[in-house]
Amino acid sequence: NNCKFGFESGDTFAIETAGSERFRVTSAGLVGIATGTPTRQLEIYHSSHATAALKSDTQSSLFFSDPADTNIGQISYMHSGSPNNYMYFRVNDDERLRIDSSGRLLLGTNTARAVGGESNPRFHIEGSGATSNSWVNITRFSANNGSANIQFAKSRSDTPGTYTVVQDDDNLGQISFLGADGTDMANYAALIKAQVDGTPGSNDMPGRLIFSTTADGGTFPTERLRITQDGKFGFNVTAPSNDLVLKSTSAHTSLVIMSGDESTKLSLQTVQGSDVRVGTVSNHPLTLYSNSLERVRIDTSGRVIIGGGTSPLTDAQLTLSDADAPAIGFQRTGSGKFESAIGMSGNSAMQFYTGADSSSVSGLTSRMQIDASGRVGINRTPALGSSKLEVGGADNYPLINV
């Protein structure tokens, strides 16, 4: 008979079968199964696969407690009932986590609730009340520039672990936003999608982001903004041809830029089949700058001042302003040179210029001037005399004096 049990030296109890020790209780109350040197209150050993089994027709459970509470923590497996074949975890005498028979992980709920028409996602988190019990925090502590991360990935294979290349327009990841409508949570309010935007290759994955919202009365989100693989932004445009393209969902497209207090507003508007409008929609002047300096101003009365001034003539629709001599030049298209001009000289005289092609007014010849006293000089560049009209001849000697 190779079976025996009994007390050994050192207040130890042991059981042997087939000539090998199977069970031991040490003097410290530590229990070992298939080990003679247990280090815990219960220790099970096997050279390749240590196991323990709880069998029941209904429910198998493992309880955690303290002397004051015998049911404070629990791990249970439900073998029968409706539903059945699920495992649940209780903490502080309340169910906190469940793994159902489909392998879905339910946190804060015991039901795989349908959201967006889908009840089969592998992970459900549910909370209630005015608390943060349905929030998710992802935190990283690292003495470098690394951060916490959420990753979405897709392969065009049905077999996990195989990496069949994705194709243009494939969805790579999606974040969905839904709300209860009084009946269910089946309808989407907004979506953010990442898609393939081009032809993928080895270490080459072109992508785009799409932002969609559902209009009032609508049943599914409509694309509103697209950021393409080359950085172009399209608002209500699926193939933006420029860096920023905006299109309205109605007849007219409007862009408004406003100050922090919303008191000053700039509007850019296209009126379908009509015109393009740029201006302020608040009671402020519209100014145009180049090289950080004001060049054109349209005041709230519609008067225009060119050249950097801020005080146009009160009864003039157009004012030219310059620190020296404001002028208007006339140029033939494509010539690149000026052939005539009208301007004001330093002595407040109005000058009329013509001449050969020139790149500046100073390169043209003054043909007529009207000074501040109303005197007119034709071909007379020096200061006019006392005559009201002088017509210059050779060497600027007047041919006509009036």
Side-chain angles (χ1 to χ4, degrees), residues 244-260:
L244 176 62
V245 180
L246 295 90
K247 186 180 79 171
S248 176
T249 55
S250 58
H252 312 312
T253 300
S254 297
L255 172 66
V256 175
I257 303 172
M258 64 180 68
S259 60

Side-chain angles (χ1 to χ4, degrees), residues 62-346:
L62 180 64
F63 291 88
F64 305 87
S65 63
D66 56 49
D69 195 330
T70 59
N71 197 31
I72 198 70
Q74 177 184 344
I75 300 174
S76 291
Y77 189 90
M78 291 296 299
H79 303 275
S80 62
S82 181
N84 58 21
N85 291 320
Y86 66 88
M87 177 175 284
Y88 67 93
F89 298 77
R90 296 176 66 88
V91 176
N92 199 22
D93 203 21
D94 200 357
E95 181 175 332
R96 307 299 183 180
L97 176 67
R98 177 178 294 205
I99 303 173
D100 70 9
S101 58
S102 298
R104 295 172 294 195
L105 182 62
L106 314 179
L107 181 60
T109 178
N110 57 20
T111 303
R113 223 174 299 281
V115 177
E118 292 288 343
S119 60
N120 289 319
R122 303 300 293 272
F123 187 26
H124 295 247
I125 300 177
E126 188 171 298
S128 61
T131 68
S132 57
N133 58 12
S134 57
W135 293 12
V136 176
N137 289 347
I138 304 177
T139 305
R140 173 174 175 170
F141 297 90
S142 178
N144 54 33
N145 63 354
S147 68
N149 190 21
I150 299 177
Q151 297 190 148
F152 299 86
K154 172 184 170 60
S155 168
R156 260 193 173 254
S157 169
D158 290 332
T159 304
T162 56
Y163 304 106
T164 304
V165 65
V166 292
Q167 300 178 13
D168 188 25
D169 297 328
D170 277 2
N171 290 323
L172 300 180
Q174 176 174 308
I175 301 175
S176 306
F177 304 87
L178 303 94
D181 60 6
T183 302
D184 53 29
M185 287 185 179
N187 295 308
Y188 292 82
L191 297 172
I192 301 175
K193 289 183 180 181
Q195 296 179 333
V196 179
D197 193 16
T199 303
S202 179
N203 298 319
D204 176 22
M205 189 57 58
R208 62 174 171 257
L209 282 176
I210 295 176
F211 298 80
S212 305
T213 62
T214 301
D216 190 11
T219 58
F220 198 80
T222 300
E223 180 177 329
R224 309 300 185 186
L225 169 62
R226 175 176 296 215
I227 306 175
T228 64
Q229 54 87 17
D230 53 353
K232 293 183 173 65
F233 286 71
F235 288 85
N236 300 310
V237 176
T238 58
S241 56
N242 298 96
D243 292 335
L244 176 62
V245 180
L246 295 90
K247 186 180 79 171
S248 176
T249 55
S250 58
H252 312 312
T253 300
S254 297
L255 172 66
V256 175
I257 303 172
M258 64 180 68
S259 60
D261 62 358
E262 302 185 14
S263 63
T264 310
K265 301 177 182 179
L266 169 68
S267 172
L268 173 62
Q269 184 180 50
T270 58
V271 181
Q272 185 166 293
S274 179
D275 53 14
V276 177
R277 301 172 183 176
V278 179
T280 61
V281 289
S282 56
N283 189 27
H284 297 89
L286 175 65
T287 58
L288 302 180
Y289 279 70
S290 69
N291 197 26
S292 301
L293 296 174
E294 182 178 326
R295 306 300 185 184
V296 179
R297 173 179 290 252
I298 305 174
D299 70 10
T300 55
S301 297
R303 297 170 299 185
V304 180
I305 181 168
I306 300 176
T310 58
S311 301
L313 294 171
T314 57
D315 52 0
Q317 295 303 307
L318 177 63
T319 300
L320 298 182
S321 174
D322 187 79
D324 185 18
I328 300 176
F330 299 91
Q331 179 189 76
R332 285 180 298 156
T333 301
S335 69
K337 300 290 185 180
F338 294 94
E339 297 178 345
S340 59
I342 302 173
M344 186 179 72
S345 63

